[in-house]
Amino acid sequence: MTRLISAKGLTKVYRRGNEDVWAVNGVDLEVQAGEMLAITGPSGSGKTTLLNMLGCLDNPTEGRLNVNGKDVFGDQKEMAETALTRIRRQLFGYIFQKFYLVPTLTVLENVQLPLIFYKNRAARKTPESLLSQLGVGHRIDHLPSELSGGEMQRVAIARALINEPKILLADEPTGNLDTRRSGEIKDIMRSLAQGGIAVVMVTHNQEMAHAANRIVEIRDGKIY
Amino acid sequence: MNIYSVAYKNLLRKKTRSALTAGGIALSAWVLVTLLGFNRGYEQSLNRDIDNMGFQVLLTAKGCPYEAATLMLKGGTGLRYIKEGMVKTVTAYPEVERVTPMLMQGVFDPNKGENGAVAAYLGVDALTFPPMKRYLEFKEGGWFKDNNAREAVLGYEAAELEQREIGDKLLIPGINAEVRVAGVLKRSGTQDDGTIFLPMGTVQTLFSKKGQLTALGIKVKKDTDMDAFENRLYDLPDVQVVSLAQVKTTIMGLLSSAKVIVLALALIAVIIAMAGVINTILMSVLERYGEIGIIKSMGAMPRDVFKMIWTETALLCSVGGLTGILLSLATARLSEAAIRRFLPYTPHGALVVLDGRIAGFAFLMILAAGLLSGLYPAWRASRVRPLEAMRAESD
């Protein structure tokens, strides 16, 4: 299996007043292609901070991060924002609990939006085919406000997948969904991993976590 | 879908706010275009009025030069007279190509307007006046038979006002004299449209001004040194020399201070519109902080976000600017009527002249000012860090 993410001693320290808060403390983690990894743990344990660092959305205070063979952070050096953006758009897709769909754009336009900024020429799927595959092909002309929570999350997944990323990061992807919709999203995630994408998700949902190949539990910023 | 359609849809998100901002831009564009059009139109019309005089120098009895200028341009009544013999004296100057004498007289006409008004009659020489006004064409009839004929030639508007046609009698109130309409002029777009022309001898007789004139119109030969010629004319006793160049300079000078005030107002309007643009776009950026963050996480470079926000500014300014330009075209005649009410002297013809160059220049000015205003909000949006933006929205 291809190693896509390798983190060593990844640490994030926030300064709160006069106090240092160790949100993530020396985490070592590897993620392989086609793996579905669930990060679980209590609220405030550092799950999301770890996910953001793995996804190059946040800089670690210490540690090394290698993504797809490239050193992103290490030896106190960090990549410039432009270089990080390049890595993000070529390798990552992100989905969030709050969906973050653009309310003035239709479903189809929301999925087309990343293509304005970057188009992976190797990508084979069109926005329409992706939306159909995710079961929202009949809603392409609708605005996000006209969709259910499950449909909105499917659109967000389609948007994250439009450039065929190697890694999909999901922060509480079922946090706003009922049990049935959560089950549907879980199935989608699993099929994506089976298709070769590395899926890393932060979740409180036990059913979702148990669908993963590997579960990592984090407490007080450390992996147990 | 492209960045322009995304920017367009973003503007539609808060329709009222976008419309109000575009309205402010439209207002400033309207002021700017109208002012530029007025600058051009007034000067063009003044030049045309002066060119249509047919002569370059006016000789009047000594007095106020502004009164003389008014006499020339508006048809006022001169209070002082020069002797008819002056025609021969001036004609003898080697620089002079042609001289035409004029005698302006006015009487109170109780039937004119709602409360009566002064009706002016211009006595002109049947031999020398028509060759100086070659642009005048007759709708019907022609010039007087001779300088003592009891005839009148009516300008187009004067004929309309008096409701007279060729052959009709025209009563001169106050002196109870009647003249026959010998000709009606076509519209010329000059002050002659409102003038009633009478033969010189007839006016002198009817108004008991034998041997007296109010002005001499002098056409000089080509390549004449005007300053030297004017100085020589001042050697004549009790005359006032008014050159058309002088009149034009005086009027444009008087107008320039008004122009500065209007220009300042236009500038204030543009600055207010710019403040509106900054406010609208910045608000829009702050409201979409999380969304901009997610766009950046999708792979948008800072320059992409900058371009998107700047495109919104450009669209807003383009819509506002074009609306303002169309508004100024639609209201040009209204603006002109308003300007005529406030200015003491306005030349005949269009005062607000708009064309593609003025519209294009104003549009580019508005666009440039708008884009300048959009720099800060666009820069701020481009600096958004994805995670911080999403956190800020969650908070």
Side-chain angles (χ1 to χ4, degrees), chain A residues 14 49 52 57-59 78 81-82 85-86 88-89 94 96 98-106 109-110 112-114 116-118 159 163, chain B residues 1-3 5-6 9-10 12-13 290-291 294-305 308 384-391 393-394:
Chain A
Y14 292 111
T49 307
N52 289 334
L57 289 171
D58 203 359
N59 303 332
E78 62 181 67
E81 182 60 29
T82 313
T85 304
R86 273 198 198 97
R88 283 200 292 259
R89 69 189 188 183
Y94 304 88
F96 303 91
K98 285 177 71 179
F99 322 127
Y100 289 112
L101 298 177
V102 179
T104 47
L105 302 181
T106 63
E109 288 168 337
N110 263 290
Q112 288 171 331
L113 189 59
I116 295 176
F117 310 112
Y118 171 70
R159 185 179 63 183
N163 271 318
Chain B
M1 194 177 66
N2 53 40
I3 205 156
S5 58
V6 175
K9 289 193 171 188
N10 278 335
L12 291 184
R13 201 177 291 211
E291 209 173 287
I294 198 84
I295 283 173
K296 288 194 90 174
S297 77
M298 282 175 204
M301 291 285 183
R303 63 168 180 273
D304 295 322
V305 176
M308 190 177 77
V384 164
R385 291 177 73 96
L387 191 65
E388 285 164 16
M390 285 183 276
R391 268 192 201 135
E393 189 159 291
S394 297

Side-chain angles (χ1 to χ4, degrees), chain B residues 70-134:
Chain B
T70 310
L71 178 74
M72 281 167 58
L73 290 164
K74 244 189 151 179
T77 52
L79 299 174
R80 299 178 183 82
Y81 298 94
I82 50 177
K83 297 286 177 202
E84 202 167 18
M86 192 69 79
V87 176
K88 268 190 182 173
T89 312
V90 173
T91 308
Y93 279 76
E95 297 93 335
V96 174
E97 187 181 314
R98 201 174 286 146
V99 176
T100 191
M102 287 174 276
L103 176 60
M104 178 76 79
Q105 289 297 298
V107 287
F108 184 77
D109 183 351
N111 298 318
K112 199 173 178 182
E114 282 181 14
N115 302 313
V118 173
Y121 300 90
L122 181 64
V124 295
D125 179 37
L127 279 176
T128 56
F129 188 77
M132 281 205 185
K133 300 266 186 177
R134 287 192 193 282

Side-chain angles (χ1 to χ4, degrees), chain A residues 206-217:
Chain A
Q206 286 304 306
E207 197 184 333
M208 194 77 178
H210 285 110
N213 308 108
R214 189 153 58 110
I215 301 173
V216 169
E217 194 181 350

Side-chain angles (χ1 to χ4, degrees), chain B residues 96-395:
Chain B
V96 174
E97 187 181 314
R98 201 174 286 146
V99 176
T100 191
M102 287 174 276
L103 176 60
M104 178 76 79
Q105 289 297 298
V107 287
F108 184 77
D109 183 351
N111 298 318
K112 199 173 178 182
E114 282 181 14
N115 302 313
V118 173
Y121 300 90
L122 181 64
V124 295
D125 179 37
L127 279 176
T128 56
F129 188 77
M132 281 205 185
K133 300 266 186 177
R134 287 192 193 282
Y135 64 90
L136 289 180
E137 290 178 55
F138 278 88
K139 187 179 159 196
E140 51 181 348
W143 288 104
F144 338 103
K145 285 198 299 280
D146 59 63
N147 268 339
N148 293 302
R150 292 288 171 108
E151 289 175 337
V153 168
L154 306 183
Y156 183 85
E157 283 167 15
E160 295 265 297
L161 193 73
E162 299 286 344
Q163 297 188 325
R164 291 290 183 276
E165 292 178 354
I166 190 163
D168 288 351
K169 297 279 183 194
L170 180 74
L171 178 72
I172 302 172
I175 56 170
N176 287 324
E178 268 190 349
V179 289
R180 190 184 69 85
V181 176
V184 174
L185 295 168
K186 283 184 181 171
R187 189 187 287 281
S188 66
T190 68
Q191 72 274 24
D192 295 323
D193 286 347
T195 307
I196 299 172
F197 300 94
L198 298 177
M200 176 61 75
T202 305
V203 178
Q204 285 176 330
T205 306
L206 292 176
F207 289 91
S208 306
K209 300 288 177 196
K210 276 283 176 196
Q212 290 183 313
L213 303 171
T214 45
L216 284 184
I218 304 167
K219 187 174 182 180
V220 296
K221 289 175 182 164
K222 264 188 183 173
D223 304 325
T224 296
D225 179 346
M226 290 299 288
D227 287 341
F229 177 59
E230 281 173 35
N231 284 334
R232 271 162 54 90
L233 286 177
Y234 272 117
D235 292 340
L236 296 169
D238 298 326
V239 292
Q240 176 73 45
V241 182
V242 181
S243 79
L244 297 173
Q246 244 177 358
V247 172
K248 190 179 151 191
T249 309
T250 305
I251 293 173
M252 291 311 284
L254 289 170
L255 197 69
S256 63
S257 46
K259 276 185 187 171
V260 169
I261 293 168
V262 182
L263 189 68
L265 287 175
L267 210 64
I268 291 168
V270 171
I271 290 168
I272 291 171
M274 281 174 76
V277 170
I278 295 175
N279 181 53
T280 298
I281 302 293
L282 197 57
M283 287 278 284
S284 156
V285 165
L286 294 175
E287 283 166 3
R288 289 182 289 152
Y289 225 53
E291 209 173 287
I292 292 168
I294 198 84
I295 283 173
K296 288 194 90 174
S297 77
M298 282 175 204
M301 291 285 183
R303 63 168 180 273
D304 295 322
V305 176
F306 187 95
K307 190 178 162 191
M308 190 177 77
I309 303 298
W310 227 31
T311 303
E312 285 177 31
T313 316
L315 277 175
L316 200 62
C317 293
S318 300
V319 170
L322 284 175
T323 309
I325 288 167
L326 291 176
L327 197 69
S328 59
L329 287 170
T331 59
R333 297 285 79 84
L334 265 175
S335 310
E336 196 173 303
I339 290 167
R340 281 194 195 282
R341 281 181 66 130
F342 292 111
L343 287 183
Y345 165 72
T346 51
H348 294 77
L351 284 187
V352 179
V353 174
L354 302 174
D355 59 18
R357 279 180 66 187
I358 287 180
F361 175 74
F363 182 75
L364 289 178
M365 277 273 292
I366 292 292
L367 195 62
L371 288 177
L372 198 68
S373 318
L375 274 178
Y376 174 66
W379 174 80
R380 193 149 167 198
S382 73
R383 302 276 296 169
V384 164
R385 291 177 73 96
L387 191 65
E388 285 164 16
M390 285 183 276
R391 268 192 201 135
E393 189 159 291
S394 297
D395 293 345

